[in-house]
Amino acid sequence: IFETWVMTIIYFAMGGGQGPDVGGATMVKMLRLLRLSRMARMARLLRSMPEILILLKGISAAIRSVFFTLVLLLILLYIFAVLFRQLADDTTTGKTYFSTVPGSMNKLLIHGIFFDNFGDMIESIVKENGALGVVLLFFFYSFVLLASLTVMNMLIGVLCEVV
């Protein structure tokens, strides 16, 4: 907050936006030195608590694996969103949950991975007549198994191995 608001007010109060001013420039340089001293405080904090440094190194080492795990999850979301969009076309479940591919991806993410109102979607799929309801239920449980359990556990395993 200090650097964003207070330093900007001081800068403009000293005539920082009105042209070349040598006296104001030295004040800005001093304020920059103040910001550097805050960075030195952060380095001192990291030296006094090496556990934080270990966690930061682990997070930086795991970034690539986490990125590709999330890309795999996005690919799974897209494939199943297209599948549900095509299978549930002209059904009440399709109109409610799978009307568009991006909407299907959102509903699968919310209901299938985060398990928010999971039972509502299952109940809607079960109410579908005939073999279509069974097929939709099979593919939804397959999605939950692949995305939520397998990929998320793989992500947790990667993070635990790095740290």
Side-chain angles (χ1 to χ4, degrees):
I1 293 175
F2 177 76
E3 289 145 355
T4 305
W5 295 104
V6 177
M7 285 180 56
T8 305
I9 291 170
I10 291 172
Y11 177 73
F12 282 119
M14 297 188 68
Q18 300 176 356
D21 184 14
V22 178
T26 57
M27 183 64 176
V28 171
K29 287 181 183 178
M30 289 179 61
L31 291 175
R32 285 184 183 164
L33 284 173
L34 179 68
R35 289 176 79 182
L36 282 174
S37 69
R38 289 188 65 206
M39 289 300 292
R41 248 185 303 168
M42 182 61 86
R44 190 175 21 178
L45 175 73
L46 289 176
R47 270 196 311 254
S48 66
M49 294 185 209
E51 295 85 9
I52 294 176
L53 191 60
I54 291 170
L55 285 174
L56 289 175
K57 285 180 182 179
I59 288 171
S60 66
I63 284 178
R64 182 177 171 162
S65 299
V66 169
F67 172 75
F68 284 113
T69 304
L70 293 178
V71 167
L72 177 64
L73 187 62
L74 187 68
I75 291 169
L76 277 173
L77 269 172
Y78 180 73
I79 290 170
F80 277 93
V82 170
L83 179 78
F84 278 107
R85 173 69 186 101
Q86 292 298 316
L87 285 177
D89 199 20
D90 297 330
T91 63
T92 57
T93 303
K95 291 175 186 167
T96 305
Y97 294 107
F98 307 115
S99 57
T100 63
V101 173
S104 300
M105 290 175 71
N106 183 32
K107 296 295 183 182
L108 286 173
L109 179 72
I110 299 296
H111 297 294
I113 295 176
F114 297 148
F115 294 117
D116 187 27
N117 292 332
F118 180 75
D120 294 343
M121 183 178 270
I122 294 295
E123 187 176 313
S124 176
I125 291 172
V126 168
K127 286 182 182 177
E128 292 299 328
N129 294 332
L132 181 62
V134 174
V135 170
L136 286 175
L137 194 63
F138 171 76
F139 281 122
F140 187 69
Y141 282 144
S142 299
F143 172 74
V144 168
L145 180 71
L146 285 173
S148 184
L149 301 177
T150 308
V151 175
M152 290 300 162
N153 282 333
M154 186 169 44
L155 178 65
I156 291 170
V158 165
L159 290 175
C160 287
E161 185 175 330
V162 169
V163 175

